[in-house]
Amino acid sequence: MTTRKYLTLLLAILAIVPALAQKQTPNIVLILADDMGKECIGTYGSTYQTPNIDQLAKEGLKFNYGFSQPLCTPSRVQIMTGKYNYKNYSEFGFLNQDQKTFAHLAKEAGYTTAIAGKWQLGANQKLPKHFGFDQYCLWQLSKPRREGERYAKPLIDRDGEILKTDAGDYGPDIFTDYMLDFIEKNKDCKFLAYFPMALVHDPFLPTPDSKSWKSDVEGRFKKDTANFRDMVSYLDKNVGKIVQKLKDLGLYENTIIIFTGDNGTGRPIVTQLKDGSKLQGGKGLTIDRGHHVPLIVNWGTGRYKTHETNDLVDFTDILPTIAQAANVKVPVGWSTDGISILPQIKGEKGTPRKWIFSHYQPIHSEAANRQSARFFRDRHYKLYSDGRFYDLQKDIEEKSPIALGKAGTEGEKIRKVFQNEMDKLPAWKFGDPGVAKVILPGLEPDPAFAEKGD
């Protein structure tokens, strides 16, 4: 072979390599339920009917120790940016506009991106694109909650227009159909679909599958916690539609699906578990039921030797996981905090974290702000920055803090580890302000749309 022919062949091979690498990278579907603790899912012991999510866990991998923040916006900021809240959280209902997200990384890797569902990160229709999404269908984008809800007759921004809806339209169906259409249109290229669902947040209203939906139109707007069971079932139904669409298009085997929840279940809800016990929702609280959420991942069938793990995961881990799956590096300058769980998603051991950390400072209502706290925990123990230390296996509700030196050999060893990690952090005390709010030119919100809901 002549030198010229060899160089021509080499150049052709080099041109093909990036395309092959791109073809091997998976699609990514991230589904975030709203106000759903792990006790709401059948595979975690719930009596609610969630067959589609349960099947996703049966085919994939269920994490028994997945942790969000205790409230909506703090979780959304953390999952999208991969940072603990003390670094970039300025106020409830807002994401500082100098931040980078997992959607930016996906775009860099050649993915087409979309978001549908609940926004609550700033009131300006330019923001989804600014944060890396090619298209969107969102509630709480340019209009606040007080002007329209997310369920019957929803108030929705879709790619620059406000949809005209009536009492027969159901927001979760509009969001799901948008995701299905996005997947269909992008079946021949790599895509990232972020689905922060509207369900199952209050108001607790009937769904189109509820018995009263057709016979009582006015009842579609009447709140009743009795509707919660139907709302969980409807959420599961819509997750099933996403999974089935991927299977119908032949995309399921090369799509990473991540299902989780943004915080604990609403506190008015008491869930009956299969073991006979009951659990009250803990949304907004820093105890276990406030931030212990379902986390189920799947990358096709036949990949997993075991279908559940006790590895610890928190929301900072999602961004590096997406980055590794998309074969793109997270810039060091982003100062992210997570550990990729892609090895576990691939069916490998990975490098599980030793603890999870939470800096929770909602900067919301007076009642919510009283719950502000900073803590480290693992499966067994938990240490707050004010010195409170708990044995979670004996005291999951954190009623009896253990005095220094009284936690036994193992407990005191872990207390010391947690305290050493706490000492590495920038100083913080209850009542300190959050980081400065960042609004960029051209992305200013309309002051009339200041958001107060959660």
Side-chain angles (χ1 to χ4, degrees):
M1 181 181 293
T2 65
T3 302
R4 181 171 186 144
K5 287 183 178 179
Y6 175 78
L7 288 174
T8 301
L9 179 60
L10 181 61
L11 289 172
I13 292 172
L14 290 174
I16 292 171
V17 168
L20 290 175
Q22 169 70 358
K23 197 170 185 179
Q24 292 304 309
T25 54
N27 302 307
I28 300 165
V29 176
L30 172 58
I31 303 172
L32 182 69
D34 197 359
D35 285 9
M36 177 177 274
K38 71 183 183 66
E39 79 277 6
C40 293
I41 307 298
T43 189
Y44 288 99
S46 183
T47 56
Y48 301 139
Q49 298 302 305
T50 56
N52 294 298
I53 299 172
D54 295 347
Q55 183 63 28
L56 198 63
K58 186 177 180 181
E59 294 181 3
L61 183 64
K62 176 178 72 170
F63 285 82
N64 291 323
Y65 291 91
F67 296 96
S68 64
Q69 289 287 76
L71 196 66
C72 304
T73 306
S75 282
R76 290 159 202 278
V77 170
Q78 187 162 303
I79 200 171
M80 289 175 67
T81 66
K83 297 180 184 182
Y84 291 121
N85 281 175
Y86 75 88
K87 291 184 176 181
N88 68 345
Y89 183 76
S90 60
E91 70 177 33
F92 187 86
F94 193 78
L95 172 56
N96 273 5
Q97 293 169 3
D98 60 348
Q99 294 301 295
K100 299 295 185 179
T101 75
F102 56 63
H104 289 123
L105 293 171
K107 288 289 294 174
E108 182 182 336
Y111 281 60
T112 303
T113 59
I115 179 172
K118 176 179 173 179
W119 179 244
Q120 197 189 68
L121 295 170
N124 189 307
Q125 289 183 333
K126 298 177 183 177
L127 286 173
K129 185 174 182 179
H130 173 75
F131 285 118
F133 297 100
D134 294 313
Q135 57 184 89
Y136 66 84
C137 181
L138 295 165
W139 176 72
Q140 279 188 316
L141 176 56
S142 69
K143 302 290 184 181
R145 183 180 183 182
R146 64 178 176 271
E147 290 194 19
E149 264 295 345
R150 69 199 84 182
Y151 298 127
K153 197 178 180 181
L155 179 57
I156 295 174
D157 282 76
R158 185 181 67 189
D159 296 321
E161 66 169 336
I162 303 295
L163 297 186
K164 294 180 180 179
T165 62
D166 59 32
D169 294 308
Y170 190 60
D173 284 341
I174 293 173
F175 301 135
T176 302
D177 288 344
Y178 188 88
M179 287 277 88
L180 296 175
D181 183 65
F182 171 75
I183 291 170
E184 176 82 39
K185 288 180 178 177
N186 292 280
K187 62 181 182 294
D188 296 323
C189 61
K190 296 301 176 185
F191 59 80
L192 178 144
Y194 179 34
F195 192 5
M197 305 180 89
L199 291 162
V200 290
H201 195 291
D202 73 83
F204 304 119
L205 302 172
T207 76
D209 285 351
S210 298
K211 291 181 180 178
S212 64
W213 180 266
K214 291 183 179 179
S215 61
D216 184 7
V217 175
E218 291 184 1
R220 297 174 189 175
F221 304 93
K222 293 179 181 178
K223 307 172 186 179
D224 189 339
T225 55
N227 292 313
F228 187 76
R229 182 176 292 270
D230 283 356
M231 295 171 77
V232 171
S233 294
Y234 210 87
L235 176 146
D236 179 77
K237 175 182 177 179
N238 283 341
V239 171
K241 287 181 177 180
I242 300 292
V243 174
Q244 191 59 50
K245 171 62 75 171
L246 295 168
K247 290 182 175 179
D248 290 345
L249 295 174
L251 302 176
Y252 182 72
E253 296 300 329
N254 195 35
T255 299
I256 292 176
I257 303 170
I258 303 172
F259 174 84
T260 188
D262 69 345
N263 49 248
T265 310
R267 277 183 263 175
I269 301 299
V270 178
T271 297
Q272 177 76 52
L273 300 177
K274 293 173 184 175
D275 65 5
S277 64
K278 294 181 179 180
L279 190 70
Q280 182 176 4
K283 175 183 177 177
L285 306 177
T286 59
I287 58 176
D288 188 81
R289 54 191 168 91
H291 73 133
H292 199 163
V293 293
L295 177 59
I296 296 166
V297 301
N298 181 280
W299 189 354
T301 54
R303 185 181 295 273
Y304 305 96
K305 294 178 182 178
T306 178
H307 293 279
E308 67 178 291
T309 176
N310 288 330
D311 289 356
L312 297 165
V313 182
D314 73 30
F315 268 22
T316 64
D317 299 333
I318 300 304
L319 181 143
T321 300
I322 290 173
Q324 189 177 9
N327 196 28
V328 62
K329 291 186 180 298
V330 182
V332 175
W334 287 17
S335 185
T336 55
D337 296 296
I339 299 171
S340 172
I341 59 168
L342 185 67
Q344 291 95 315
I345 294 176
K346 292 166 67 176
E348 301 167 1
K349 184 178 180 181
T351 54
R353 55 168 63 240
K354 305 293 186 187
W355 40 258
I356 70 105
F357 167 70
S358 177
H359 176 96
Y360 176 56
Q361 192 176 0
I363 315 177
H364 184 26
S365 64
E366 183 179 347
N369 293 341
R370 285 198 295 268
Q371 300 299 326
S372 297
R374 176 180 276 188
F375 60 84
F376 284 85
R377 67 163 288 176
D378 58 15
R379 293 178 289 273
H380 197 156
Y381 297 102
K382 184 173 185 179
L383 175 69
Y384 285 87
S385 59
D386 62 6
R388 287 175 294 143
F389 187 70
Y390 297 95
D391 182 335
L392 299 177
Q393 292 186 1
K394 296 179 180 178
D395 183 19
I396 195 67
E397 289 290 302
E398 302 177 16
K399 296 184 181 297
S400 303
I402 305 171
L404 185 64
K406 300 295 184 180
T409 303
E410 179 191 11
E412 292 304 324
K413 180 180 178 181
I414 297 300
R415 188 203 298 259
K416 186 176 181 180
V417 169
F418 289 172
Q419 188 61 57
N420 285 341
E421 293 296 334
M422 196 81 74
D423 293 342
K424 296 176 185 177
L425 298 170
W428 175 83
K429 65 181 184 300
F430 184 87
D432 281 352
V435 303
K437 188 174 182 178
V438 178
I439 299 176
L440 299 179
L443 298 176
E444 298 88 352
D446 185 332
F449 295 152
E451 191 52 69
K452 300 298 182 184
D454 61 350

